[in-house]
Amino acid sequence: MHSLIMVAHGSRRATSNTEVQALTDQLRARLSDRFEYIQCGFLEFAEPSISAALDAAVRAGGTEIAVLPYFLARGAHISEDIPRVILAKQLQYPAVTIELKPHIGASPGMLELLARAV
Amino acid sequence: MHSLIMVAHGSRRATSNTEVQALTDQLRARLSDRFEYIQCGFLEFAEPSISAALDAAVRAGGTEIAVLPYFLARGAHISEDIPRVILAKQLQYPAVTIELKPHIGASPGMLELLARAV
């Protein structure tokens, strides 16, 4: 089963986390032909954690799980923190394929999105 | 003169700030028909600050300055910190129009960007 976990930083502000949840809901509707399961996970300040989100995806039957970091810049979270969680979960679930995608800020479409936003 | 300041959070990692600078350079080339001046400014950890970036834009002759926050989620930075800087600069430069745009995460195109990234 193809699953997608969108990972976000998480904020002390509940409204910010709700925004991520709403975007995840929209993504679930938009990509229902490609992923049977789409949820989000947070690095800090919000639930579920990335680790808990991956556990839930596996429990739901996920065998190929894509992880999409909703981050703009390549900081320590992208270079170290998120890969560390993914590695631990990959070792925990050897029968599951977990693929870490590039962070959204590295997407080739970002320039056009910015250009259209002004 | 139409100017654009892309504001980013800034990171302790120089490579992350370089990434923002590179995207600003691409945006300058992409939007050269609409803006005569495009630079970036950082909230913390990197130079120039948003305040210094706005000062420089005004010194360069900017009379209409758009500020585009390169942020994904509506946290305290978007709701309070950046508007506070913009307000102070607007009071400092009453002859200049400074327009704060919605953060890029609120852009209607974000869903498509995410959908294409996976």
Side-chain angles (χ1 to χ4, degrees), chain A residues 71-83 103, chain B residues 10-17 19:
Chain A
F71 283 71
L72 286 175
R74 179 180 297 284
H77 297 321
I78 291 299
S79 302
E80 295 162 26
D81 302 336
I82 295 172
H103 61 294
Chain B
S11 170
R12 289 189 180 85
R13 299 204 144 199
T15 52
S16 171
N17 303 324
E19 216 173 305

Side-chain angles (χ1 to χ4, degrees), chain A residues 61-106:
Chain A
T63 51
E64 296 180 62
I65 305 177
V67 177
L68 178 60
Y70 189 54
F71 283 71
L72 286 175
R74 179 180 297 284
H77 297 321
I78 291 299
S79 302
E80 295 162 26
D81 302 336
I82 295 172
R84 190 183 307 125
V85 176
I86 302 302
L87 179 60
K89 287 291 149 182
Q90 186 60 82
L91 293 170
Q92 182 180 347
Y93 303 116
V96 173
T97 303
I98 305 178
E99 184 195 1
L100 180 57
K101 298 280 185 181
H103 61 294
I104 194 67

Side-chain angles (χ1 to χ4, degrees), chain A residues 6-59:
Chain A
M6 185 160 93
V7 301
H9 188 284
S11 170
R12 290 188 179 86
R13 299 204 143 200
T15 52
S16 171
N17 303 323
T18 304
E19 217 173 305
V20 171
Q21 188 67 64
L23 194 57
T24 304
D25 292 345
Q26 290 178 280
L27 204 58
R28 186 180 306 117
R30 173 69 179 71
L31 295 176
S32 60
D33 55 332
R34 292 175 51 201
F35 295 94
E36 295 161 78
Y37 181 97
I38 298 184
Q39 291 292 349
C40 58
F42 297 94
L43 196 62
E44 44 186 6
F45 304 130
E47 296 293 332
S49 67
I50 301 173
S51 177
L54 285 168
D55 289 342
V58 171
R59 274 199 311 274

Side-chain angles (χ1 to χ4, degrees), chain A residues 4 6 11 13 15-16 19-20 23 26-27 30-31 34-35 66 68 70-76 79-80 101-118, chain B residues 4 6 11 13 15-16 19-20 23 26-27 30-31 34-35 66 68 70-76 79-80 101-118:
Chain A
L4 172 64
M6 185 160 93
S11 170
R13 299 204 143 200
T15 52
S16 171
E19 217 173 305
V20 171
L23 194 57
Q26 290 178 280
L27 204 58
R30 173 69 179 71
L31 295 176
R34 292 175 51 201
F35 295 94
L68 178 60
Y70 189 54
F71 283 71
L72 286 175
R74 179 180 297 284
S79 302
E80 295 162 26
K101 298 280 185 181
H103 61 294
I104 194 67
S107 169
M110 184 54 80
L111 182 68
E112 274 311 303
L113 189 67
L114 288 167
R116 284 200 309 269
V118 290
Chain B
L4 172 64
M6 186 160 93
S11 170
R13 299 204 144 199
T15 52
S16 171
E19 216 173 305
V20 171
L23 195 57
Q26 289 178 281
L27 204 58
R30 173 68 180 72
L31 294 176
R34 291 175 51 202
F35 295 95
L68 178 60
Y70 189 54
F71 282 72
L72 286 175
R74 179 181 296 283
S79 302
E80 295 162 26
K101 298 278 185 182
H103 61 293
I104 195 66
S107 168
M110 184 54 81
L111 181 67
E112 274 312 302
L113 189 68
L114 288 165
R116 285 200 309 269
V118 290

